[in-house]
Every structure is written in structure tokens, then in C-alpha cells.
Amino acid sequence: MKYMGSKRAMLKNGLGDLLEKEVTKASRFVDLFAGSGAVSIHVAKNFQVPVISVDLQNFSRVLSSSVVSRVSRVNWGRIWKNWELSASKISSDIKAPSYRSLTKKNVQHFRSWCTQQSDLPITCAYGGHYFSPQQSVNIDSLRATIPLREPYRGVALAALIRAASRCVAAPGHTAQPFQPTKTALPFLKEAWDRNIHEHTKNALEELADQFARKKGGAIVCDANQYADRIRHSDLVFIDPPYSGVHYSRFYHVLETISQGECGIVTGTGRYPDYDLRPRSSFSVKTESVKALGDLLQKIGSKGATAILTFPDHDC
């Protein structure tokens, strides 16, 4: 997944060894800023300890929960066969505009067509921007036909979020899409040419084989609020944001897919209303020091063990 930070790199560069040393002493592993779920999933797969994954955004809960809350494999082939069939029945009835080559003029036409699809939330909000008209219709169709039963629903939704992240037409995250300029059009076309169904299928196959050694869970919650539930025998992982910009600005597209709707969007980045975006004190310069101090005080008062990451460079 495209995600800010370097948790996967950290796991291979010291963090993995530290976790192996400390986690066996704990009764639970609590990941307070789970993000893409990389650390939560690593611990759940490799250690006999339940993982509790916590984050302000729902898409993070979906990604982590798809593995940490499950203790056996799922039959991804059966899920995909029925899911793709149902989604294709919907998308085949929607005549999305297509292209052989991209120009600024036809991108503008695609955007106009997409905004008229009010019954397709992803298409209406992001079609012609982060995704091609056909990609966005496919995402809407897959989202509308997600399996109803757990754990299949959670695994399928996580696979769709991962696929969207891999196909999105943006430089790194979803703060802003590529624009139809002369220099950016090739990048836009390359992203729009990616097959949503194929990427979703691949992500589903990857996730289906991953599961926890002990059942855990994932929750949408502020880290400082969840700290009240910490136990003395917990190992708490703290990897807060080191940015003055709220992470909801970078992942609103994935959040919309996880929720299934977002309301009216505006601006170049196609952002939902500010009040609908999660806000973290850790991304506010005047609040972050107190927020971290309060968090460490709560964890310390419980007698729990904490691992805290911090950059080795200016941020």
C-alpha cells in the first residue's frame, strides 16, 4: 500500500528484533497508531499474543482487522467467484466513457460525466480524478456487492482498499490526483490503465492466507482515549504522525471506500467537508507535545511497557 512513514522498513531495520524481544512478555500488543496495519499484522502473524489495532480512520481498522481478528485461512477463490459475478452484473449496465489516448479535453469530459453519477459515490466523488470512469464504476460495483458474512466481508473490503491504493492516480497518497497536464498525462494514463478487478483479486488472495496466531481486534478510536483501557501487561506500540497536516488529508479516498460514502467533495484533492475528516492533536504543533505527554503518562500509570518511535531527522 501507498502509505506515509516507513513501518515496513522499520520492521526490517531493528523494530522487528525489538518486537521479538519484548512481545513475548506481554499479554496483548496494542498498536495505537495502526495506519496501514503493517506492524499489527506482523505481530499477529508471528506471535502468540492478541493484537489490538487502534486508529482514527476506519480504513485502517478494516485493513488491520482483516488479519488480526481471524485465526484461520479463508477460501479466497469462493469469495472472488461470487463477488466478481455480482459486481460485474452491476458494472456491465453502466456505460462509462472509454478512451484510447488521454487529452486534457477528454479528461474534463470524463470528470463531467462522473459528477453526474449521483448514485455511484466513488464515481461521483473521484471518477476522472483519482480513477478513470471505468475504474471508479468497478470500485462502486465491488463496494456495493461486498460479501455480507464475516470474516469474508472484512477480508474483501480490505482487498478492495488495497487495490484502490495500488491503482490510484496520485504521486504517493491521495492528497491530490495527477492533473491532465502535458507532463502528468502519461502518469495519469498508466494509473488509469490498471485493472481494478485484477488488483482486488490479487489483494484478496494475499490477505486470505494471512491470519493471527491469537484472535485480536481493531477499533476506530483516538489513541489518548484508548489509553484509558491499557492494562499493565500490555506492550504498547506508539508511532504517532510527524506531520503538521492531518493524515485524513492523505487517505480520504480510502476512507470513503471503507465507509461507502463521503458526501460532497471540493477542491483539487476532492476533499470531503472538513468536519467529516478525523483530526489528531499529534498533527497540531501547539497540541502535539501535550498530547504525547498525556499519552505516556496514562500508559506509565498503568505500568505497561511502551515502544515509541521518533524520527532521526527534522520533521
Side-chain angles (χ1 to χ4, degrees):
M1 269 195 57
K2 296 178 180 177
Y3 202 83
M4 293 175 67
S6 56
K7 292 183 182 180
R8 283 189 173 84
M10 287 194 297
L11 286 169
K12 298 177 181 179
N13 191 30
L15 178 59
D17 294 335
L18 180 59
L19 290 172
E20 185 173 4
K21 178 182 176 182
E22 296 292 338
V23 78
T24 54
K25 308 172 188 177
S27 63
R28 298 190 310 172
F29 179 80
V30 181
D31 187 356
L32 287 179
F33 300 87
S36 68
V39 174
S40 290
I41 290 172
H42 171 81
V43 173
K45 287 166 52 181
N46 291 288
F47 301 100
Q48 287 280 357
V49 59
V51 171
I52 306 300
S53 180
V54 182
D55 199 274
L56 275 176
Q57 299 191 82
N58 188 60
F59 83 89
S60 173
R61 179 197 65 79
V62 173
L63 292 174
S64 294
S65 181
S66 68
V67 176
V68 307
S69 64
R70 187 164 47 83
V71 292
S72 62
R73 293 179 175 84
V74 296
N75 187 332
W76 72 269
R78 179 180 297 176
I79 297 172
W80 181 245
K81 180 180 179 181
N82 296 329
W83 185 20
E84 183 183 35
L85 181 63
S86 299
S88 295
K89 287 180 179 178
I90 294 176
S91 59
S92 62
D93 289 336
I94 303 169
K95 305 304 179 185
S98 59
Y99 58 89
R100 289 186 178 179
S101 61
L102 284 183
T103 65
K104 184 174 182 179
K105 183 177 181 179
N106 59 18
V107 169
Q108 294 298 336
H109 168 67
F110 297 156
R111 291 178 175 181
S112 177
W113 181 87
C114 289
T115 57
Q116 298 172 37
Q117 313 308 308
S118 57
D119 55 339
L120 300 173
I122 306 301
T123 304
C124 187
Y126 306 122
H129 295 269
Y130 291 101
F131 305 105
S132 74
Q134 189 61 62
Q135 281 179 323
S136 57
V137 166
N138 287 344
I139 294 172
D140 271 312
S141 302
L142 287 164
R143 183 63 181 82
T145 54
I146 288 281
L148 297 179
R149 290 175 54 196
E150 294 290 1
Y152 313 116
R153 181 178 182 83
V155 176
L157 184 52
L160 182 59
I161 291 170
R162 283 193 176 192
S165 174
R166 294 169 183 174
C167 294
V168 70
H173 315 294
T174 60
Q176 288 193 358
F178 290 124
Q179 295 302 319
T181 63
K182 184 177 181 179
T183 54
L185 272 172
F187 299 101
L188 185 66
K189 185 178 186 302
E190 192 275 332
W192 280 12
D193 285 346
R194 295 172 192 161
N195 189 307
I196 289 289
H197 277 229
E198 192 65 29
H199 279 276
T200 304
K201 176 185 175 182
N202 292 340
L204 183 63
E205 184 176 5
E206 292 169 6
L207 284 169
D209 280 340
Q210 301 180 55
F211 55 90
R213 297 179 69 177
K214 275 202 172 183
K215 185 179 176 64
I219 184 174
V220 175
C221 188
D222 178 85
N224 287 48
Q225 292 178 6
Y226 192 84
D228 293 326
R229 310 184 205 178
I230 295 297
R231 305 170 187 171
H232 72 91
S233 56
D234 287 342
L235 175 61
V236 185
F237 182 60
I238 307 170
D239 183 45
Y242 303 108
S243 166
V245 180
H246 296 293
Y247 272 35
S248 56
R249 180 172 182 259
F250 300 99
Y251 302 106
H252 61 99
V253 175
L254 306 186
E255 188 72 354
T256 295
I257 294 172
S258 79
Q259 300 283 8
E261 59 183 1
C262 68
I264 297 172
V265 297
T266 57
T268 303
R270 309 295 289 165
Y271 304 118
D273 188 80
Y274 186 82
D275 292 337
L276 300 177
R277 290 182 257 160
R279 177 187 182 280
S280 171
S281 294
F282 289 86
S283 289
V284 180
K285 188 173 182 179
T286 57
E287 301 175 15
S288 59
V289 172
K290 183 179 186 304
L292 183 57
D294 289 347
L295 179 61
L296 292 174
Q297 192 279 328
K298 287 183 178 182
I299 294 170
S301 70
K302 304 281 185 171
T305 300
I307 295 174
L308 169 66
T309 69
F310 201 84
D312 62 357
H313 55 274
D314 289 342
C315 292

